[in-house]
Amino acid sequence: MARTPGFVGKREIARAFNIKGNAIIHLKMLLRQMEAQGKLSRARKTLKSTSTIPPVGTVEILGIDDNGEVFGKLTEWDEAAHGPAPHVHVEAKGTAAPGIGDRVLARIEADPIREHGYVARVMRGLSDNAVRVVGVFRKSTGPGGKIIPSSKKDRDDYIVAKSEDLGAEDGELVSAEVTRQRGRGLAQARVRQKLGRADDPRNTSLIAIHAHGLPDAFPKAVEDEAALAKPLPMAKRKDMRHIPIITIDPADARDHDDAVWAAPDDAADNPGGHIVLVAIADVAAYVTPSSLLDREALKRGNSVYFPDRVVPMLPEKLSTDLCSLIASVDRPVLAVTMRFDAEGKKLSQHFDRAMIRVVAGLAYEDAQAAIDGKGSADARAVLKTTLRPLWGAYASLCKARDRRGPLELDLPERKVVLDAKGNFKAVITPQRLDAHRLIEEFMIQANVAAAEMLQKKKTPLLLRVHEQPSSEKLRALSEFLKTVNMSFALGQVIKAKTFNRILAQARETPQARLINDIVLRTQAQARYSPRNDGHFGLTLANYAHFTSPIRRYADLIVHRALITAHKFGDDGLSSQDITNLEDTAESISAAERKAMIAERETLDRLVAAFLRDQVGAEFDGRISGATSAGLFVVLSDTGADGFLPASTLGAERFNHDPVSHAMIGSRSGETYQLGDPIRVRLVEVAPIKGGLRFEPVSEGKKGRPKRAAKQFRRRR
């Protein structure tokens, strides 16, 4: 292509190399792969090589310069022929700013400002999976070595030449770049970064961090910008420092987004009512549109929480200091004051940009203990002024919540406990207290207030939406419920209460866990959107995330929207914020899903390392999934996920029945069904992949599920 002037397309390439027949298919695949990797650029049907300074090329992000500008280098460059690859300044308008190590496809142009320089205007990011692998480096007997990948989906190793191993030691975790894909000989990779010893549990979370491209270090320019931040003056803020407001958080919380206060409403027209104040850290005052902090926060989308560390959305100077509502320190906030009647109906709401001073920072357990007649001195000191009025307001809100009827799935929270060396110790389910429910309900009400206010003022914002289940999932649920002698009429108006009735009906039956899991699988996944599609699970017409701007970018956008709507300052929504709302919603929704996967994978690896010496031991668990290949099992004591192949279930053939979510013996009807308890034996552990393989110890249920028998008779 570099030597051929004019038009070069697929036909011209095929003609030049005499490619015919079925080989055309392979040519198309190769060209698509090269385009995805940035080795080719496409303008309509024209293909161009990127081997010299191209109009479109792949750029690897190297860092941020002293002026706060992103720079990188062209990756497809022949240094032997043309000298060192030129650096380019990167512009990413309309998209999340790329991070160090990311690769982007960009238009390359002469820089109008810097003589002999180039500017790369980002078109789109390139998939990390196409170029990056994380795994354990193993030295070979000869030069070089290989990488055993950490991904369960990646079953083959990668060959690493001696010149490209970066001096990695045997057993060291590495992040590498794939230099030759499979299908053209052995897959090869080049080590880009050494991450530490694979057998050090403190490095376990680094696998997920690097495998998913989570930026765990802030660029120096971003840290420098954060370092310039200082406590804000009162200015035009409303002074609320006289209010005995408190924070209630987990005992190990490092950042405190929200503070709460309540009091009986002394208005004559609201007997038994309450005034509730929810104050949220004014992060928007520090993270302004298009600043380096803003671009980095958008790229991250949210904070990611691992058992041993946090990958924060904002630098610590902000997240754990200036934006954290610390006791006895003046802190700027966006506050919403709401009036509720005795039945929990909201009568009014208004927002202020204010200054508060938290009088006590309490843990959930401490606040609850004070209400129950115990608690620390700090908690007892605010019992009369704040805690009891908060519980009084919560009692009213519970009445409204019960009338609203949000979805009531059983979703126990699990928390990983590590020992002093970072090794997995246990998984616990913390006790669910009224203190937890109180804060959750107050945050929901604050989120609703923000969404309602902005919708009323027609201000652009990001909403948290949760659509009702699709018709396909509802049909599948109806078919399943028939197998447990329960009915579900299709065509009815579906509300969260519809599912609550099903859950209540099943609560005292052996199928309670199974039905809870199936109802959960029926639900859509919540996401962010600039369009209001309501929140089905919470039974709310208007809902936005407003209460956690330290750790969620969506909340920061809502804060800016409130600043704009109320004319609180010039640091509200920018025109770019508004233009990019759709892209921002997609970006942060994807970041949220990535964080959940990374957190889950890290738990799997920690537990697998813990169980590596227990091969042959037996465990109690529960079936969490059924496929034609076998069963997925979650262990009761650790929450670890593993796989049980269908071939180990018994001598007869076991068939997968998707309606009843079960594996069923073709002769005996022995059934292993989603939600069933099961005892298993651990037969294999792959710590680096977080993989466990089991075989059954206990037998399945006798007799086929209802309706499944007819299906299997038809199959035979």
Side-chain angles (χ1 to χ4, degrees):
M1 292 180 190
R3 295 194 303 266
T4 304
F7 183 91
V8 176
K10 179 189 65 183
R11 292 181 180 177
E12 286 68 30
I13 295 171
R15 190 179 303 117
F17 293 94
N18 196 29
I19 299 171
K20 299 178 181 179
N22 290 335
I24 293 290
I25 298 174
H26 297 287
L27 173 62
K28 290 180 181 179
M29 293 172 61
L30 177 60
L31 294 176
R32 280 198 297 268
Q33 184 183 59
M34 294 176 73
E35 185 182 2
Q37 294 172 341
K39 295 178 180 179
L40 296 177
S41 66
R42 182 186 298 272
R44 296 183 181 176
K45 293 185 177 182
T46 304
L47 295 165
K48 291 185 179 296
S49 170
T50 60
S51 59
T52 57
I53 297 288
V56 174
T58 309
V59 175
E60 179 180 353
I61 307 304
L62 298 178
I64 299 177
D65 63 20
D66 293 338
N67 296 319
E69 296 187 24
V70 179
F71 69 93
K73 69 173 183 178
L74 290 163
T75 59
E76 296 300 324
W77 184 263
D78 187 347
E79 294 195 356
H82 306 293
H87 284 196
V88 294
H89 282 80
V90 180
E91 292 186 1
K93 294 182 178 179
T95 62
I100 296 173
D102 289 351
R103 292 191 172 200
V104 297
L105 193 66
R107 291 187 177 88
I108 313 298
E109 302 172 3
D111 195 321
I113 300 175
R114 302 170 185 82
E115 188 176 0
H116 306 304
Y118 296 91
V119 61
R121 306 188 192 281
V122 176
M123 299 165 61
R124 62 179 172 87
L126 295 174
S127 170
D128 285 341
N129 294 332
V131 297
R132 183 179 299 166
V133 61
V134 176
V136 179
F137 180 78
R138 293 296 182 190
K139 280 188 174 294
S140 300
T141 52
K146 64 180 180 180
I147 295 172
I148 302 172
S150 60
S151 172
K152 294 178 183 178
K153 298 177 181 179
D154 209 342
R155 298 185 178 183
D156 297 321
D157 300 338
Y158 291 84
I159 303 301
V160 179
K162 174 63 179 174
S163 60
E164 298 183 334
D165 67 6
L166 204 65
E169 297 294 331
D170 188 71
E172 196 166 14
L173 277 175
V174 297
S175 175
E177 172 188 41
V178 176
T179 55
R180 178 180 293 176
Q181 300 284 356
R182 294 182 180 88
R184 293 174 286 159
L186 294 174
Q188 297 181 9
R190 175 191 304 123
V191 176
R192 296 174 61 187
Q193 188 175 358
K194 297 184 291 183
L195 307 178
R197 295 291 307 174
D199 53 8
D200 187 341
R202 293 168 295 186
N203 293 330
T204 302
S205 55
L206 289 177
I207 300 174
I209 287 170
H210 286 267
H212 292 284
L214 301 177
D216 61 330
F218 287 96
K220 183 177 182 302
V222 174
E223 291 278 15
D224 289 346
E225 187 172 277
L228 296 174
K230 291 179 172 56
L232 297 176
M234 177 68 70
K236 296 180 180 180
R237 296 177 182 276
K238 184 175 181 178
D239 192 348
M240 292 185 170
R241 290 176 294 179
H242 61 285
I243 297 175
I245 197 166
I246 65 173
T247 61
I248 305 178
D249 291 297
D252 57 355
R254 298 181 63 205
D255 54 66
H256 308 275
D257 294 271
D258 55 271
V260 292
W261 171 84
D265 190 353
D266 57 8
D269 62 348
N270 190 24
H274 286 83
I275 297 172
V276 172
L277 173 66
V278 177
I280 308 299
D282 190 357
V283 176
Y286 291 98
V287 184
T288 54
S290 299
S291 63
L292 293 179
L293 284 165
D294 179 46
R295 289 160 58 185
E296 184 70 16
L298 172 57
K299 182 183 74 176
R300 293 171 179 239
N302 48 246
S303 297
V304 188
Y305 295 85
F306 297 101
D308 63 333
R309 73 184 74 206
V310 177
V311 178
M313 187 179 80
L314 300 174
E316 285 194 6
K317 176 69 179 294
L318 300 181
S319 62
T320 63
D321 185 5
L322 294 179
C323 292
S324 190
L325 306 183
I326 302 168
S328 304
V329 179
D330 290 357
R331 284 291 183 254
V333 295
L334 279 181
V336 56
T337 304
M338 299 169 282
R339 292 180 67 227
F340 296 94
D341 68 14
E343 298 301 311
K345 179 183 178 181
K346 186 168 60 180
L347 304 178
S348 66
Q349 62 191 32
H350 72 268
F351 285 83
D352 293 290
R353 206 168 194 182
M355 189 73 75
I356 66 168
R357 183 180 295 160
V358 170
V359 297
L362 305 180
Y364 286 113
E365 295 78 9
D366 198 14
Q368 187 70 56
I371 288 293
D372 296 339
K374 301 175 184 178
S376 67
D378 286 346
R380 294 196 304 272
V382 294
L383 179 61
K384 183 178 179 180
T385 59
T386 308
L387 285 177
R388 282 181 179 154
L390 281 171
W391 255 256
Y394 172 59
S396 297
L397 291 178
C398 284
K399 298 177 184 178
R401 186 184 189 279
D402 291 342
R403 291 195 303 272
R404 197 173 80 237
L407 192 58
E408 295 179 351
L409 287 164
D410 180 17
L411 301 172
E413 179 186 354
R414 291 178 178 268
K415 183 175 181 180
V416 177
V417 179
L418 304 178
D419 65 17
K421 295 182 179 180
N423 292 297
F424 174 87
K425 186 176 180 181
V427 170
I428 62 173
T429 301
Q431 184 182 3
R432 180 86 165 146
L433 305 171
D434 280 344
H436 293 97
R437 299 183 183 96
L438 179 149
I439 292 298
E440 182 180 274
E441 190 61 31
F442 283 10
M443 295 306 107
I444 289 173
Q445 293 301 327
N447 287 335
V448 170
E452 287 178 345
M453 180 66 72
L454 293 172
Q455 295 273 75
K456 181 179 179 180
K457 289 181 174 289
K458 301 187 184 307
T459 306
L461 79 156
L462 285 179
L463 294 123
R464 183 67 167 177
V465 301
H466 180 228
E467 291 110 339
Q468 76 169 43
S470 66
S471 57
E472 292 82 2
K473 288 188 175 183
L474 291 174
R475 280 196 295 272
L477 175 65
S478 178
E479 288 296 310
F480 160 74
L481 289 174
K482 292 176 185 177
T483 71
V484 291
N485 297 312
M486 294 178 67
S487 62
F488 180 82
L490 296 174
Q492 63 179 304
V493 176
I494 303 297
K495 297 181 179 180
K497 288 182 178 180
T498 308
F499 296 109
N500 289 340
R501 286 194 292 270
I502 295 171
L503 295 169
Q505 185 179 345
R507 194 158 290 139
E508 301 303 324
T509 71
Q511 293 87 15
R513 182 76 253 177
L514 167 64
I515 292 171
N516 183 86
D517 290 352
I518 298 298
V519 170
L520 174 60
R521 291 177 181 222
T522 302
Q523 306 308 309
Q525 188 172 36
R527 58 185 176 82
Y528 295 104
S529 173
R531 293 178 298 279
N532 189 10
D533 295 319
H535 200 293
F536 176 81
L538 293 175
T539 322
L540 294 169
N542 301 284
Y543 194 66
H545 274 166
F546 157 68
T547 55
S548 294
I550 290 176
R551 62 185 180 90
R552 292 189 306 226
Y553 193 82
D555 303 55
L556 178 57
I557 290 292
V558 170
H559 276 232
R560 289 178 184 165
L562 288 167
I563 292 167
T564 296
H566 292 87
K567 297 181 172 57
F568 284 150
D570 58 4
D571 49 355
L573 287 173
S574 68
S575 58
Q576 187 174 0
D577 284 335
I578 296 171
T579 300
N580 296 334
L581 276 181
E582 189 79 47
D583 289 342
T584 299
E586 291 182 6
S587 174
I588 61 178
S589 295
E592 179 183 50
R593 291 190 291 271
K594 183 189 293 185
M596 292 172 62
I597 294 170
E599 290 166 358
R600 177 72 250 183
E601 289 179 354
T602 298
L603 173 59
D604 288 345
R605 291 188 177 100
L606 284 168
V607 176
F610 174 70
L611 296 176
R612 74 169 75 199
D613 297 327
Q614 299 186 48
V615 172
E618 296 181 4
F619 300 91
D620 289 320
R622 183 173 60 84
I623 297 173
S624 59
T627 70
S628 58
L631 303 173
F632 291 95
V633 176
V634 57
L635 300 185
S636 301
D637 56 351
T638 61
D641 288 307
F643 187 66
L644 190 154
S647 59
T648 66
L649 290 175
E652 65 182 312
R653 177 177 178 178
F654 278 78
N655 297 298
H656 176 232
D657 177 38
V659 173
S660 58
H661 299 266
M663 292 290 283
I664 304 170
S666 57
R667 295 193 306 274
S668 66
E670 183 181 358
T671 299
Y672 294 88
Q673 190 171 27
L674 177 71
D676 283 351
I678 186 172
R679 189 161 180 82
V680 296
R681 181 179 295 107
L682 181 63
V683 296
E684 185 180 355
V685 178
I688 195 65
K689 294 179 182 289
L692 305 175
R693 186 164 62 85
F694 304 123
E695 63 183 17
V697 175
S698 60
E699 296 181 345
K701 296 181 293 191
K702 302 303 180 184
R704 296 185 176 90
K706 184 181 177 182
R707 291 187 70 253
K710 295 180 181 179
Q711 294 174 345
F712 281 103
R713 277 199 296 271
R714 285 198 298 270
R715 289 179 190 175
R716 291 199 299 271

